[in-house]
Amino acid sequence: MYEKSDALFEKSKQYMPGGVNSPVRAYQAVNRNPVFIDSAKGSKIYDVDGNAYIDYVCSWGPGILGHAHERVVEAVQKACEKGLTYGAPTEKEYLLAELVHKLMPSIEMLRLVNSGTEAVMSAIRAARGFTGRDKIVKFRGCYHGHSDGLLVKAGSGALTCSIPDSPGVPADYTKNTLVAEYNDEASVEALFQANPDSIAAIIVEPVAANMGVVLPKEGFLNSLRKIADKYHALLIFDEVITGFRLSLGGAQEYYKVKPDLTTLGKIVGGGMPLAAYGGRREIMEMVAPKGSVYQAGTLAGNPIATTAGIETLRILEEEKNLYDTIAASAEQLADVVQEAFGSRVCVNRIGSLMSVFFQEGAVTDYASAVKSDTGQYAAYFNYMLNQGIYLAPSQFEAMFLSYAHTKEDIERTCDVILELAKNNVI
Ligand code: KE4
C-alpha cells in the first residue's frame, strides 16, 4: 500500500531534515510516514504507490482551480519555450500587477517576490521604513512565514511541531515583536498603550487559518483598523491564504476593511513560487529603487510564475459561479462532519476554507484551538487517508475546496465520514 513512499522517505531523510522540505509534510503530528506524491489532476492526487486521493490540501491553498488546470498548464508550457528567467523586467509582471490592483484596489502598488515569507518580511520592512518605528504587533497562533521576527508564538507547522518560538532566532530579533490575542481587540489596545509611538504595524491573518480556521468575530477587523489609525500605525492584512480564496477581492473585500498593506501568496502564483506585497502608493514608493527600503530577488516576477498567476486570476475572474460553488461544496462537507460527530467537534468554515476541531467547545482563538484533541485528529486523518481522502496532516491547518471537486467527490467524502462515525472508529 505505501511501500514506495516508505522507501523514499527513508532515503530522503539522509539528505533533507526530516526527509521533507517543509515540516508539516513529514506527518509527525499524525504518527505515520508521509505519502510521496507522483502526480495530480483536478481534485485528485496520486502517490508513488499508485494510491489515488481526493485532495483537500490543494497544496495548502494555491490549488483553487484544481491541479494541472489545462489553461494554466498550456500557458506555462508555452512560456517555458521562451526561456525560464531573464532577471529583467517583462510585460507579464505589469499584467499581473495591474490585475491584482483591479481585484484588490487597496493595492495601489506592489512588489512581486517568491514566497509568502518573503512577502511578509518585506511588507514589515516597508512598514518600519515608512513609519520610522520598530515594533510590530502579531497574534498568537497566526503564522506569517518563517522570517526571524515572526517566529514568535507562530502557528502552522511551528504550532504543529510545538516550536512556536524557534531556536536560532536571537532575542534581539524578536524583542520588537509584540503578541496580542486573536479576536481580543483589548489586548491590541493594551500593547499600543504600553508602547507609545513605537509600533509600526499590526499584522493579522484576516481569517486565521494557521491554528486551524478561526474566524474574526463581528467587528474585530474593523477595530484593528481603528486602533491602527488612532495610534498612526499601519494595518497589514496577511492574505497569503485568504487572498482570492474568500472572494475575488480576498478578505478585505469580504469584510470591507481596507488595510494599508497586503501580503499575497499561494493562489496569486497559480501554484508556482510567486507572492507579493503591496498597498498604499506612498508606502510602496519607499521601496528601492524608487525609495530607500531595500528588497530584491533574482527570480522575483519570474516569467513562468507570472504566467501561471495571470492565467489563474483570469480564470477566477471569468468563472462567475466559482466562489459560490466551492463554498457550497465546503458547506455540504461541514454539515456532514457536524452531523456525523455532533458535539465532539467544532467545525469552523468560511467559504471554501474550513477546519474540523476535535473538541466540544467553540474555537474562537488560540487558547480554544489548542484545547483540541490532536490524537483524535490523527486518528481521523489516518482513517480518511486509508479511504483515499487526503486531509491536512495537522489539527492546526485548514481544509481547502477547489473548483475541480465534483459532486461525486463530495458525496464520497461524506459517505466515508458518516461511515467513520457510525463504526465508532475514533
Ligand atoms: P510561504 O513562505 O510558505 O510561501 O508562506 C508563508 C505564509 C505566510 N502567511 C500565511 C497566512 C501563511 O499561511 C503562510 C504559509 N502557509 C503554510 C500553511 N498553513 C504553508 C505550508 C507549509 O509551511 O508547508
Side-chain angles (χ1 to χ4, degrees), residues 40-64:
K41 178 70 180 166
S43 62
K44 305 293 184 306
I45 52 171
Y46 305 90
D47 71 18
V48 292
D49 290 289
N51 302 307
Y53 306 90
I54 302 171
D55 179 19
Y56 291 105
V57 176
C58 300
S59 187
W60 307 99
I64 192 167

Side-chain angles (χ1 to χ4, degrees), residues 22 24 115-117 143-145 156 205 210 238 240-241 266 397:
S22 200
V24 72
S115 71
T117 294
Y143 179 72
H144 303 289
S156 184
E205 292 180 59
N210 285 291
D238 181 350
V240 166
I241 284 186
K266 300 182 194 273
E397 295 288 357

Side-chain angles (χ1 to χ4, degrees), residues 118-157:
E118 201 181 347
V120 169
M121 181 174 74
S122 309
I124 284 179
R125 188 177 306 135
R128 286 171 163 154
F130 180 76
T131 60
R133 298 176 177 181
D134 292 341
K135 294 187 189 308
I136 291 288
V137 171
K138 78 171 287 282
F139 294 88
R140 197 157 54 126
C142 283
Y143 179 72
H144 303 289
H146 65 87
S147 60
D148 283 337
L150 287 161
L151 280 180
V152 177
K153 302 286 178 283
S156 184

Side-chain angles (χ1 to χ4, degrees), residues 385-400:
L385 190 77
N386 294 333
Q387 297 294 322
I389 314 284
Y390 191 85
L391 303 175
S394 161
Q395 170 67 90
F396 306 114
E397 295 288 357
M399 198 171 169
F400 297 89

Side-chain angles (χ1 to χ4, degrees), residues 67-252:
H67 293 289
H69 188 287
E70 294 76 14
R71 247 178 76 179
V72 178
V73 170
E74 195 181 314
V76 166
Q77 285 171 331
K78 269 176 72 182
C80 286
E81 288 160 17
K82 296 174 73 178
L84 300 179
T85 177
Y86 319 125
T90 65
E91 183 186 19
K92 285 189 178 158
E93 292 158 91
Y94 163 73
L95 291 173
L96 182 55
E98 184 190 45
L99 189 46
V100 168
H101 169 65
K102 179 185 171 194
L103 301 177
M104 291 189 174
S106 77
I107 301 177
E108 296 170 341
M109 180 173 274
L110 64 74
R111 173 58 62 80
L112 300 176
V113 293
N114 301 289
S115 71
T117 294
E118 201 181 347
V120 169
M121 181 174 74
S122 309
I124 284 179
R125 188 177 306 135
R128 286 171 163 154
F130 180 76
T131 60
R133 298 176 177 181
D134 292 341
K135 294 187 189 308
I136 291 288
V137 171
K138 78 171 287 282
F139 294 88
R140 197 157 54 126
C142 283
Y143 179 72
H144 303 289
H146 65 87
S147 60
D148 283 337
L150 287 161
L151 280 180
V152 177
K153 302 286 178 283
S156 184
L159 181 54
T160 301
C161 302
S162 305
I163 37 177
D165 301 301
S166 168
V169 178
D172 268 359
Y173 284 38
T174 55
K175 68 184 179 189
N176 287 315
T177 306
L178 307 174
V179 182
E181 296 304 325
Y182 193 80
N183 275 331
D184 175 356
E185 51 269 39
S187 71
V188 182
E189 182 81 38
L191 289 173
F192 276 89
Q193 290 286 335
N195 298 273
D197 304 325
S198 56
I199 297 175
I202 301 166
I203 184 165
V204 66
E205 292 180 59
V207 171
N210 285 291
M211 42 180 142
V213 175
V214 176
L215 307 187
K217 73 179 185 188
E218 182 72 30
F220 176 62
L221 297 176
N222 240 326
S223 69
L224 298 184
R225 178 68 276 169
K226 289 191 180 117
I227 292 170
D229 292 342
K230 177 179 171 184
Y231 294 99
H232 309 295
L234 301 180
L235 178 59
I236 303 174
F237 270 11
D238 181 350
E239 294 225 41
V240 166
I241 284 186
T242 56
F244 314 109
R245 168 64 60 181
L246 292 202
S247 74
L248 206 42
Q252 53 196 271

Side-chain angles (χ1 to χ4, degrees), residues 343-358:
S343 64
R344 288 176 56 196
V345 296
C346 163
V347 182
N348 285 351
R349 179 186 73 84
I350 180 165
S352 62
L353 186 63
M354 61 185 271
S355 281
V356 179
F357 292 95
F358 278 82

